Amino acid sequence: MNKVNLLDLDRPALQAFFLELGEQRFRAEQVMKWIYHEGITDFAAMTNLSKALRVQLDALAEVRPPRLLYERVSVDGTRKWLVQLAGGNCIETVFIPEGDRGTLCVSSQVGCILSCSFCATAQQGFNRNLSTAEIIGQLWLAHQALGGGRAGSREITNVVLMGMGEPLYNFKNVVPALSLMQDDLAFGLSKRRVTLSTSGVVPAIYKLREVSDVSLAVSLHAPNDALRNQLVPLNQRYPLAELMAACKAYIQGLQPRRITWEYVMLDGVNDSEAHARELVTLLRDIPSKVNLIPFNPFPQARYRRSPPAVIDRFRHILTAHDLTTVTRKTRGEDIEAACGQLAGQVEDRSRRQMHLRMAG
Ligand code: SAH
């Protein structure tokens, strides 16, 4: 029989697990503290549980995070971990320290099913969804690698689901992981400090709002359908008008009530003054923050980064129209940890590369 990996269970599921064993609900709270606050994975060391329960847990369950394969550290302090999953694939997790802040960028899938032409992960193809344990396990591993909360260790203050994969295409496993990120007995991050980034899976945005209140970032990259169809092919399925409506519905009743838009700056493609003005019109009636991301190159990329002066000009047009806009600092570029550079080691099972070759 397969053991239950307790990292797969959010608090309600863990309570149900203990009730089913004939135990009390609060056992879930005790065990969560051991796992997430103390970093303990061995039931024998969970000394406030009875000996009999510890033996029973050992037989039925396990606490199994994925395995850290290696770490690379950038000159700017960014750290990238290659994380090995059961079955042999690897994903990447990135830690970005900045002053008091420490942002962990987490992957949600092995590879990605989308084929955004400017993203390295897209070139890898797709293998499978990560389990909840593999998603929350990235926080668990990073927290341990950063010192496990001991005096002097770096803290994870923010989490962004901006690593490999499309989180809303792994809804079932992502949602319990979000809940653990926010749970005081696990990572206790407020909804402002957990951000899910999506390329715009419209029906899932509505569904997410029913079960979560995390901050939403949307990979926009173009101010009109014609261009976005090329850059983010998912737009052909869910065009901008539908995406905007879903985003407005998402922030209804939320605080802070605003969407973060990611906009990769591609030289001569989406960075003109006319594009900036079109973007102003598109975002006119939705509370917004725009993140301009200088394009990060990767092998075989067919784009170049917009020159700094062009990015500044673009930003000034937006800010002149009262759109909060920041240019994202490129971090960890020397270790291929920057946005769009995560590749891991993915065995493509979608055969998408082959489809593309045949289509081309
Ligand atoms: N699939 C989700 C999560 C990935 S987030 C999404 O699309 O939002 C990763 C962010 O980095 C996205 O905004 C993505 O568009 C951006 N990105 C991808 N490739 C990039 C590149 N080469 N340079 C800069 N940003 C890139």
Side-chain angles (χ1 to χ4, degrees):
M1 193 194 67
N2 271 345
K3 290 187 175 184
V4 184
N5 188 353
L6 298 191
L7 293 173
D8 272 320
L9 309 182
D10 62 6
R11 196 196 300 207
L14 197 57
Q15 288 170 337
F17 171 83
F18 278 107
L19 288 176
E20 215 164 289
L21 291 186
E23 289 286 333
Q24 299 214 45
R25 203 183 292 271
F26 74 89
R27 295 289 176 212
E29 290 155 27
Q30 293 179 313
V31 167
M32 283 177 74
K33 282 188 196 158
W34 284 114
I35 298 175
Y36 297 105
H37 294 177
E38 306 299 328
I40 298 285
T41 56
D42 181 3
F43 296 121
M46 302 186 180
T47 47
N48 55 359
L49 308 179
S50 72
K51 187 84 193 297
L53 179 57
R54 284 184 259 164
V55 171
Q56 194 183 14
L57 283 176
D58 228 3
L60 294 174
E62 60 186 351
V63 180
R64 189 161 47 84
R67 207 159 71 84
L68 246 187
L69 213 52
Y70 68 76
E71 173 184 73
R72 288 175 75 188
V73 182
S74 160
V75 290
D76 69 19
T78 299
R79 298 160 78 149
K80 180 169 88 166
W81 293 292
L82 189 68
V83 175
Q84 173 147 51
L85 310 172
N89 288 294
C90 292
I91 46 137
E92 297 186 327
T93 307
V94 179
F95 180 72
I96 309 138
E98 171 123 68
D100 293 344
R101 219 184 219 254
T103 302
L104 191 72
C105 179
V106 168
S107 295
S108 57
Q109 297 183 311
V110 184
C112 190
I113 201 87
L114 302 170
S115 30
C116 303
S117 50
F118 52 85
C119 181
T121 304
Q123 318 273 312
Q124 300 280 306
F126 173 76
N127 185 280
R128 66 172 172 86
N129 282 331
L130 296 190
S131 65
T132 298
E134 290 165 338
I135 299 168
I136 206 66
Q138 294 171 66
L139 276 81
W140 192 93
L141 278 182
H143 181 67
Q144 296 307 315
L146 293 167
R150 284 181 292 281
S153 65
R154 283 235 44 142
E155 294 286 345
I156 300 168
T157 61
N158 295 66
V159 173
V160 293
L161 271 93
M162 292 186 186
M164 298 166 67
E166 169 48 55
L168 292 185
Y169 275 150
N170 185 12
F171 196 88
K172 185 167 79 40
N173 297 339
V174 162
V175 167
L178 293 175
S179 147
L180 286 166
M181 290 172 199
Q182 296 182 267
D183 195 316
D184 286 338
L185 293 177
F187 294 98
L189 299 170
S190 78
K191 62 186 181 204
R192 292 162 188 262
R193 294 172 177 274
V194 178
T195 302
L196 182 147
S197 179
T198 178
S199 50
V201 187
V202 164
I205 293 176
Y206 288 103
K207 253 175 58 190
L208 182 67
R209 188 63 184 81
E210 289 169 18
V211 292
S212 186
D213 58 3
V214 296
S215 304
L216 191 66
V218 175
S219 294
L220 193 58
H221 308 316
N224 60 60
D225 281 319
L227 183 56
R228 194 163 191 269
N229 283 345
Q230 291 172 31
L231 297 177
V232 185
L234 185 67
N235 194 73
Q236 297 165 23
R237 186 121 159 237
Y238 306 116
L240 283 173
E242 290 178 28
L243 179 58
M244 292 297 144
C247 289
K248 280 183 194 161
Y250 189 85
I251 54 176
Q252 214 41 252
L254 277 193
Q255 227 24 277
R257 194 170 154 253
R258 109 179 151 178
I259 298 280
T260 299
W261 306 98
E262 295 158 282
Y263 195 103
V264 61
M265 296 299 288
L266 304 171
D267 186 20
V269 175
N270 63 353
D271 61 352
S272 73
E273 293 183 33
H275 290 127
R277 282 192 292 270
E278 219 178 335
L279 190 57
V280 168
T281 308
L282 181 71
L283 302 181
R284 202 170 30 199
D285 57 352
I286 177 162
S288 297
K289 175 184 175 190
V290 180
N291 258 339
L292 300 178
I293 315 176
F295 171 69
N296 294 309
F298 53 90
Q300 276 123 44
R302 43 184 155 112
Y303 299 102
R304 277 170 320 199
R305 178 181 295 180
S306 307
V310 172
I311 299 179
D312 281 346
R313 180 185 67 184
F314 198 93
R315 182 166 49 83
H316 284 138
I317 296 173
L318 303 190
T319 50
H321 290 84
D322 295 328
L323 270 175
T324 306
T325 309
V326 297
T327 303
R328 191 179 284 173
K329 237 197 280 170
T330 294
R331 299 288 304 269
E333 205 178 4
D334 55 328
I335 56 167
E336 287 93 37
C339 305
Q341 292 187 318
L342 301 187
Q345 290 170 12
V346 177
E347 189 197 332
D348 182 19
R349 297 205 317 187
S350 68
R351 298 163 66 88
R352 202 186 59 221
Q353 298 305 323
M354 188 178 288
H355 292 310
L356 287 179
R357 261 198 305 270
M358 281 161 63

